[in-house]
Amino acid sequence: MPTAAVVSASAAAAPAAAAAAPPPIPSKGLRLRLQEGVYASFSADGQLAVEASPHDGEGLAGFAQRLCGDARLAPQVLEANHLARGARLKTGRLYHLPFDLLAAAWQLEAARALFPQDRGDATGWRHQVRGVGALRRENLWELSEWFTGKGENFRAIREYNNLRDEDVTQGAVLTIPSELLRPAFGAALPVPLKPYVLAYGKDQDGDYAVYRLRPGEALYSGVVVRFTGRIYAADVNALAVEIAHRSGIDDVTAIPVGFKVKIPLDLLQPEFLPEGDPRRKEYEASLRASSHFSNQVRAKGLEGITVILDAGHGGHDSGATLGSVWESLYVYDIALRLKGLLESRTAAAVELTTRDGDGFHVVDADVLPASRGHAVLTNPPYPIADPVVGVNLRWYLANSFFRRALSAANDPQKIVFLSIHADSLHPSLRGAMAYIPAARMRDESYGKRGAIYEARQEFRESPRVEFPWSQRVQSEGLSRQLAKQVIGAFEESGLPVHPFTPVRDRIIRNRSEWVPAVLRYNSVPSKMLLEVCNLNNDLDRRLLQTRGYRQRVAEAVLQGLLAYYGQSASQPAVRVARATK
Ligand SMILES: [Zn+2]
């Protein structure tokens, strides 16, 4: 039990300042004016909402943008008001906006109006129970829905406040712990939420870190994925068992809030190790060294920039597959869409490492037809049969593109390499993540041998690659900056992003760690491998099978590239590009 719970329990027992406390909400409900045409409402059945009428001349999209913070929620606004698709809103009429649909600012304002005694403090949101009518009290379930978005959190709130049952007395003050709050209330706390705190200890089995499980957290994502960096299902499951055993947990599905989970120190990602630990120091030193390098090139409309696009897999290498969903088909489609955007909206030169068939055709369909026609565009091309040969020829080809672009541009920072993939991870994980090359995990010098390589011009131009340490460190720094811009653009466009460390400098799997070959032997200083989503996650997989999502991914990558070259989204590339072309 957290210490704070005791404090709030005693506060709950003390009568609140009676003079200032508002009367119970009438049992028929309550409507309070927030501003002209906008009301906070508390319905007879205990739902919080806002009711609002459109401004003169304000359409549905504008209305949804103003109240929900997103014009794309327009269909949900219609649905909440039992209106058919395409219906028009009438000025002067009030429309119902359920709490879940509201923009954070309106959620906060409505709650503050209805519960004027409420406030945030360092531990969470302090809610004074106002009660409803003469007969009914607020119950913990609905209270939990209002402030956390999930009724199921009522148990954690009950435990946190040392309550014996779901009864809450009028005038009592409860704390809704900060970790559980909806973003609207979390953002209103005076102290920003501490991300997490680890303590360290030692027992007969060795050194460990202790993490106290927070309400609503699962061992898999809350502990294993976050602190050990494992993301593949087999790894996550195995470590969850190991950590549960080490911590004395019998049932991983019923771990009490606040339980001390012990994580063996050697499983921790370096950034979570105690200060001064050699592994953490080495990690911090590499971050510091690579952070000295940042892209200095500013390019309006990407004028003078070469973008090398690599769609992962292809041909007989379908990559991650889930039923008929092949990674190779969907990432190639995204690469084509991105090529189209770059060529129509910017002045960048675009090179693709592979092609399916004779031309670059975007298939106008959600679910993509199977194809094994992809070849690596070396000279002569390589119809992809062996995945390893396919990957090696990609970096030979990328390096050849790089040499050619460099002789024209005369600045290595004007060239970027982007490999597009989709992951197959633990099903609880969602969203995009990026890999960049860790300087310490790349070879100084490397080259392939064999007839299949020697037959190709790109190999013969330069059979071996050499990467001195300084170059690898610089590449890590530039690539991290590039990847952060691209992931940042995903976040800005509302696309799902991996919850922990979305930019990673190596793959961790099966107790080994490596940099993907397509980055490892790649001469382009600014490079990244983008995993657009997790095919093992049902929601992500369904999204990937829609044209709209793939187009949005391509748009986000475009915004990330523009940002890397010093152009924010507010300076549209369109006009610039047309002016310069
Ligand atoms: Zn892949």
Side-chain angles (χ1 to χ4, degrees):
M1 184 62 49
T3 23
V6 182
V7 178
S8 48
S10 58
I25 288 173
S27 47
K28 63 176 183 2
L30 183 62
R31 183 190 279 164
L32 294 170
R33 184 179 181 275
L34 297 176
Q35 56 170 248
E36 183 66 41
V38 186
Y39 299 83
S41 91
F42 188 107
S43 67
D45 60 352
Q47 304 289 319
L48 300 194
V50 156
E51 285 167 29
S53 62
H55 292 152
D56 268 339
E58 184 179 45
L60 175 61
F63 185 71
Q65 180 68 44
R66 176 161 64 95
L67 280 311
C68 310
D70 189 344
R72 287 170 299 184
L73 292 172
Q76 285 89 325
V77 171
L78 291 180
E79 201 181 311
N81 291 278
H82 313 291
L83 294 171
R85 260 179 71 176
R88 303 180 70 119
L89 303 185
K90 295 184 187 123
T91 312
R93 229 207 90 175
L94 284 182
Y95 293 92
H96 179 77
L97 297 147
F99 209 63
D100 278 336
L101 215 50
L102 290 171
W106 287 113
Q107 289 178 338
L108 189 62
E109 201 169 324
R112 281 199 160 132
L114 292 163
F115 307 113
Q117 304 291 95
D118 283 20
R119 61 191 168 80
D121 70 12
T123 57
W125 188 259
R126 310 263 288 152
H127 170 67
Q128 181 174 329
V129 177
R130 197 170 160 180
V132 186
L135 300 172
R136 198 161 80 78
R137 294 166 168 156
E138 290 171 22
N139 71 53
L140 268 189
W141 179 277
E142 60 188 21
L143 195 148
S144 174
E145 267 181 352
W146 304 335
F147 295 107
T148 76
K150 261 198 236 150
E152 291 84 349
N153 283 328
F154 84 93
R155 272 183 47 189
I157 295 173
R158 193 176 78 181
E159 206 176 319
Y160 194 89
N161 289 279
N162 270 344
L163 299 172
R164 233 169 285 123
D165 49 37
E166 279 72 65
D167 259 359
V168 284
T169 327
Q170 193 190 326
V173 177
L174 303 179
T175 296
I176 296 97
S178 50
E179 300 94 317
L180 293 182
L181 290 171
R182 287 179 189 268
F185 299 103
L189 303 186
V191 186
L193 180 53
K194 260 194 197 171
Y196 37 75
V197 186
L198 292 178
Y200 302 94
K202 193 185 175 111
D203 61 16
Q204 70 278 3
D205 296 324
D207 292 313
Y208 58 80
V210 178
Y211 178 68
R212 284 172 179 274
L213 214 62
R214 294 179 172 196
E217 276 183 351
L219 190 61
Y220 298 93
S221 49
V223 177
V224 177
V225 174
R226 178 190 289 161
F227 296 114
T228 76
R230 269 60 167 191
I231 46 181
Y232 290 94
D235 292 348
V236 172
N237 293 334
L239 283 201
V241 169
E242 185 178 338
I243 289 172
H245 181 74
R246 183 86 159 78
S247 311
I249 298 166
D250 298 323
D251 179 1
V252 295
T253 62
I255 311 172
V257 171
F259 190 90
K260 288 184 183 177
V261 179
K262 289 182 181 176
I263 314 160
L265 231 48
D266 59 339
L267 293 178
L268 285 182
Q269 286 289 83
E271 59 268 42
F272 299 115
L273 289 164
E275 228 171 290
D277 183 287
R279 209 149 55 85
R280 175 165 159 183
K281 273 162 70 181
E282 182 199 32
Y283 170 76
E284 288 169 343
S286 80
L287 273 188
R288 247 195 318 277
S290 65
S291 72
H292 294 147
F293 298 96
S294 65
N295 179 30
Q296 302 301 318
V297 173
R298 298 285 169 271
K300 275 195 172 176
L302 303 184
E303 178 79 55
I305 303 301
T306 298
V307 181
I308 305 171
L309 291 180
D310 172 53
H313 316 279
H316 287 269
D317 168 16
S318 43
T321 56
L322 258 110
S324 60
V325 187
W326 298 357
E327 178 187 353
S328 58
L329 305 173
Y330 289 87
V331 299
Y332 180 69
D333 176 84
I334 292 170
L336 291 186
R337 288 172 190 274
L338 179 53
K339 178 182 194 292
L341 288 177
L342 283 163
E343 287 173 346
S344 62
R345 294 204 208 155
T346 79
V350 185
E351 303 281 6
L352 255 71
T353 59
T354 62
R355 191 175 60 212
D356 181 11
D358 298 332
F360 298 111
H361 308 296
V362 174
V363 179
D364 192 25
D366 289 326
V367 174
L368 295 173
S371 169
R372 294 198 182 279
H374 312 81
V376 180
L377 295 173
T378 44
N379 203 347
Y382 174 71
I384 302 167
D386 179 328
V388 177
V389 173
V391 167
N392 286 322
L393 287 176
R394 282 161 209 262
W395 60 258
Y396 273 116
L397 176 59
N399 292 351
S400 174
F401 284 143
F402 175 68
R403 283 188 296 274
R404 218 181 313 150
L406 186 57
S407 66
N410 215 13
D411 184 343
Q413 290 184 17
K414 289 190 173 171
I415 301 143
V416 288
F417 175 88
L418 175 74
S419 187
I420 304 173
H421 287 248
D423 238 331
S424 153
L425 308 175
H426 191 270
S428 68
L429 292 167
R430 276 199 77 184
M433 60 185 293
Y435 288 106
I436 58 152
R440 65 190 184 283
M441 304 189 74
R442 293 178 68 193
D443 308 61
E444 186 91 29
S445 152
Y446 188 76
K448 299 300 296 179
R449 278 179 182 195
I452 204 156
Y453 300 109
E454 284 153 19
R456 287 175 166 83
Q457 188 191 313
E458 291 76 10
F459 173 91
R460 294 193 302 267
E461 282 170 19
S462 177
R464 290 192 73 81
V465 283
E466 310 283 339
F467 300 114
W469 173 247
S470 61
Q471 230 180 67
R472 280 178 275 153
V473 172
Q474 185 203 33
S475 178
E476 181 182 325
L478 293 172
S479 301
R480 181 172 284 113
Q481 191 190 352
L482 170 67
K484 282 188 172 170
Q485 294 287 10
V486 170
I487 292 294
F490 267 67
E491 278 166 347
E492 260 168 49
S493 7
L495 291 168
V497 166
H498 198 279
F500 309 111
T501 333
V503 176
R504 299 177 170 226
D505 64 4
R506 67 211 185 281
I507 295 174
I508 309 175
R509 188 172 194 171
N510 281 336
R511 302 209 172 231
S512 55
E513 306 187 358
W514 71 94
V515 170
V518 79
L519 298 182
R520 194 168 177 166
Y521 308 119
N522 193 312
S523 305
V524 183
S526 308
K527 53 184 166 267
M528 64 182 285
L529 187 156
L530 175 68
E531 302 277 6
V532 293
C533 68
N534 178 14
L535 277 178
N536 258 341
N537 178 282
D538 291 343
L539 287 170
D540 271 8
R541 190 172 59 252
R542 248 180 278 156
L543 270 181
L544 191 62
Q545 293 176 82
T546 64
R547 274 165 290 188
Y549 168 80
R550 299 195 298 269
Q551 190 65 29
R552 283 178 67 201
V553 166
E555 292 270 0
V557 176
L558 171 67
Q559 291 309 323
L561 290 172
L562 288 169
Y564 184 63
Y565 286 106
Q567 231 178 296
S568 67
S570 55
Q571 306 163 267
V574 193
R575 251 168 286 146
V576 179
R578 283 191 187 138
T580 52
K581 249 185 170 167

